[in-house]
């Protein structure tokens, strides 16, 4: 997690901008520039999405350390959409941002290895070394146990990359399964998964004291955030649910350690749709202004970081 | 699940062929036909993979009702690989096969809706109606609860499609989480998830008595297969783990109902690598022969189906 933490300290900003380009979010002027009218295909749609992403990335790249594209919004546009995902990641890397691919991928053995190669490794075939979606981290789901995580942690170790495992997600129904208490240890499922993540990361601890195996915990569950912080001293948190989903700065206080490290807070709609809140600003200005507002909001509870 | 069951009865074959094109599996003659030598790129690799898939599909399409490409093996080749996934699905549909996209996707709300649109629905933008990866079913992970399933079941209802939810997976470490017993109901996690799937499917039961919400249960856990069959009367099972992973026909007996319905058994390597077992046959002949062998093996325990 060193690369992410280094960027957080440099920019004094523990936030990440979600790049989830729902069509409704894209401003009319970007749409008009790319759409032709009756002859429109997915190619034109993808052009608009890529411009939307690149404009956001350019606007925020001096203030924010990381971006998090969610694969679903690209996959819905087929291979053309996945090309936009690649181009978005590539553009964000060119702006020196840390990129978390939010794919929530999960499988076992050689299949999980393929997912991990795709996002945080290298696909090697014959003499070809290929980086499919060259990110710094991938979100993953641990329902399948170690067989689904170790192929990814192997690549974390090899290429100095990270994963974030779903533990306590931000949605209303997350408790249906995650909050069920276990019989033989007096803890809920999410805490069991969190402790598994602690173990998976114990040999991957970097110079700032955090391991390559992070976890996802929603801002909408502040008590669980605080509890998990106390039992996972070297596990970094990716925290969705701030802003549009209802979580505020006070709700994420418990995610941070005494140095203001230990967590990165995600906002997607708050930045992507900032222009709807600021009709007198340009699209790019409004992204920047809301990214700064978010930074200041979170810094008000962490203080100086690092 | 009607379309799948209809094809199973027509072909008297409750098996599905996994299309997981690991590079090692591809015969040398197919590789040689596509690779150029030093100038090779992922484009040539993808050409070989598509031919591999199309040859398998053509060889087995008269005997097998369904195929199951696992997205990971395509995603590792980036957007070019995802184009091969599209072309593979499209080719399988042209051969009248039922296609299960094995993506184990999971997210919430509009994000999960995007995944579901991509595989079992339609992506609608402006006047464009686009089918990204036009499958009949998608495998999904239920760790996030109803918020992650209902966007998919909505599309199952709308477009007569199916999902298969991970319940008890075939891998060795599946028990680390899935077998943990719950405190307030005397059942393990996988059974809790199974019962959630039963509920999610209860308003989606088709003419054969099975719902659109199937589950994934590994052939490597025969006792759990039998137990789940008894408590889930209208839930169809997708059963990996037969063949290379160690499960045999006897192990999957418990997955079927009295009519030989209720389950479809997957084999991937057994068919894809059949040519290594049959050096005197062509690649295509060996796929066909092993598909027939598998059919006969499973039919020996189900008897006539339907």
């Amino acid at each position: 997690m060193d690369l992410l933490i280094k960027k957080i300290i440099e920019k004094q900003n523990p936030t990440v901008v979600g790049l989830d380009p729902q069509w409704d979010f894209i401003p009319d002027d970007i749409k008009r520039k790319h759409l032709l009218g009756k002859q429109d295909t997915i190619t034109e749609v993808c052009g608009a999405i890529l411009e939307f992403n690149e404009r956001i990335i350019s606007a925020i790249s001096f203030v924010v350390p990381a971006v998090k594209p969610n694969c679903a919004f690209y996959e819905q546009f087929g291979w053309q959409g996945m090309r936009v995902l690649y181009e978005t990641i590539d553009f964000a890397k060119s702006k020196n941002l840390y990129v978390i691919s939010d794919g929530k991928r999960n499988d076992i053995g050689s299949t999980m290895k393929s997912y991990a190669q795709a996002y945080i490794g290298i696909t090697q075939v014959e003499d070809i070394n290929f980086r499919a979606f060259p990110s710094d981290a991938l979100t993953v789901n641990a329902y399948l146990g170690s067989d689904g995580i170790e192929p990814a942690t192997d690549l974390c170790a090899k290429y100095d990359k990270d994963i974030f495992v779903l533990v306590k997600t931000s949605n209303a129904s997350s408790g249906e399964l995650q909050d069920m208490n276990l019989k033989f240890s007096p803890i809920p499922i999410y805490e069991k998964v969190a402790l598994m993540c602690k173990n998976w990361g114990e040999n991957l601890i970097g110079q700032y004291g955090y391991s390559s195996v992070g976890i996802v915990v929603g801002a909408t569950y502040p008590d669980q955030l605080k509890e998990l912080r106390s039992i996972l001293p070297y596990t970094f948190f990716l925290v969705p649910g701030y802003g549009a989903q209802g979580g505020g700065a006070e709700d994420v206080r418990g995610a941070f350690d005494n140095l203001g490290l230990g967590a990165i807070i995600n906002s997607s709609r708050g930045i992507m749709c900032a222009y709807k809140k600021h009709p007198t600003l340009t699209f790019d200005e409004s992204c920047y202004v809301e990214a700064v507002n978010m930074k200041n909001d979170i810094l008000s509870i962490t203080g100086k970081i690092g």
Side-chain angles (χ1 to χ4, degrees), chain A:
Chain A
M1 213 60 74
D2 287 347
L3 180 63
L4 175 61
I5 296 172
K6 193 163 162 279
K7 289 181 189 294
I8 288 173
I9 294 172
E10 276 170 12
K11 291 181 174 165
Q12 286 291 302
N13 187 355
T15 73
V16 49
V17 171
L19 295 171
D20 307 343
Q22 294 189 54
W23 191 245
D24 299 350
F25 294 172
I26 299 179
D28 286 341
D29 62 331
I30 295 181
K31 287 181 182 168
R32 269 197 304 271
K33 193 169 148 191
H34 291 270
L35 297 184
L36 306 166
K38 287 195 175 166
Q39 293 79 39
D40 285 324
T41 67
I42 287 299
T43 307
E44 283 75 44
V45 167
C46 285
I49 291 170
L50 182 60
E51 178 174 342
F52 178 71
N53 284 348
E54 290 188 346
R55 298 251 311 256
I56 295 170
I57 291 167
S58 295
I60 58 147
S61 66
F62 290 99
V63 66
V64 167
V67 290
K68 180 177 75 63
N70 186 307
C71 302
F73 294 105
Y74 304 87
E75 216 161 309
Q76 69 178 334
F77 298 117
W79 62 266
Q80 300 97 317
M82 294 304 271
R83 188 172 186 162
V84 176
L85 176 61
Y86 167 80
E87 288 165 338
T88 297
I89 294 168
D90 194 51
F91 188 77
K93 290 307 299 173
S94 79
K95 296 288 182 181
N96 212 17
L97 293 168
Y98 181 93
V99 178
I100 303 168
S101 282
D102 192 357
K104 300 180 175 64
R105 297 305 195 241
N106 62 117
D107 216 297
I108 56 170
S110 60
T111 319
M112 188 61 200
K113 187 182 171 194
S114 296
Y115 279 133
Q117 282 177 177
Y119 290 95
I120 55 170
I122 295 172
T123 302
Q124 293 173 308
V125 183
E126 304 290 334
D127 295 331
I128 306 166
N129 287 297
F130 179 70
R131 294 205 63 195
F133 303 104
S135 323
D136 300 295
L138 175 66
T139 60
V140 302
N141 185 314
Y143 187 71
L144 291 81
S146 310
D147 297 329
I149 300 297
E150 283 164 4
T153 51
D154 287 350
L155 296 194
C156 288
K158 187 169 180 183
Y159 299 113
D160 196 17
K161 300 287 182 181
D162 306 306
I163 56 172
F164 291 93
V165 182
L166 299 183
V167 166
K168 175 64 186 165
T169 54
S170 60
N171 57 305
S173 77
S174 72
E176 286 172 12
L177 198 63
Q178 297 163 26
D179 288 356
M180 300 285 287
N181 278 294
L182 296 172
K183 189 173 179 184
F184 298 111
S185 46
I187 54 171
I189 290 174
Y190 75 80
E191 192 174 325
K192 169 72 184 169
V193 179
L195 294 171
M196 290 160 75
C197 293
K198 186 181 172 192
N199 289 340
W200 288 321
E202 68 182 346
N203 295 319
L204 297 169
I205 299 176
Q207 65 180 82
Y208 295 99
Y210 284 97
S211 87
S212 296
V213 180
I215 65 172
V216 177
V217 194
T220 43
Y221 297 102
D223 294 342
Q224 288 84 343
L225 262 177
K226 197 193 290 184
E227 173 214 2
L228 290 168
R229 178 76 288 146
S230 71
I231 60 172
L232 301 172
Y234 53 80
T235 305
F236 210 86
F237 295 179
L238 169 61
V239 183
Y242 169 90
Q245 280 187 58
E250 269 308 322
D251 293 318
V252 300
R253 185 187 288 274
F256 293 98
D257 67 18
N258 294 334
L259 296 172
L261 289 172
I264 189 160
I265 314 301
N266 181 75
S267 177
S268 301
R269 270 168 286 179
I271 310 300
M272 286 188 292
C273 299
Y275 70 95
K276 296 183 181 180
K277 197 173 153 187
H278 296 288
T280 61
L281 300 181
T282 65
F283 174 77
D284 317 79
E285 288 166 345
S286 61
C287 290
Y288 177 81
V289 165
E290 284 303 311
V292 171
N293 285 346
M294 185 186 180
K295 167 185 165 160
N296 292 336
D297 191 34
I298 304 296
L299 278 185
S300 74
I301 56 136
T302 61
K304 186 170 180 299
I305 297 170

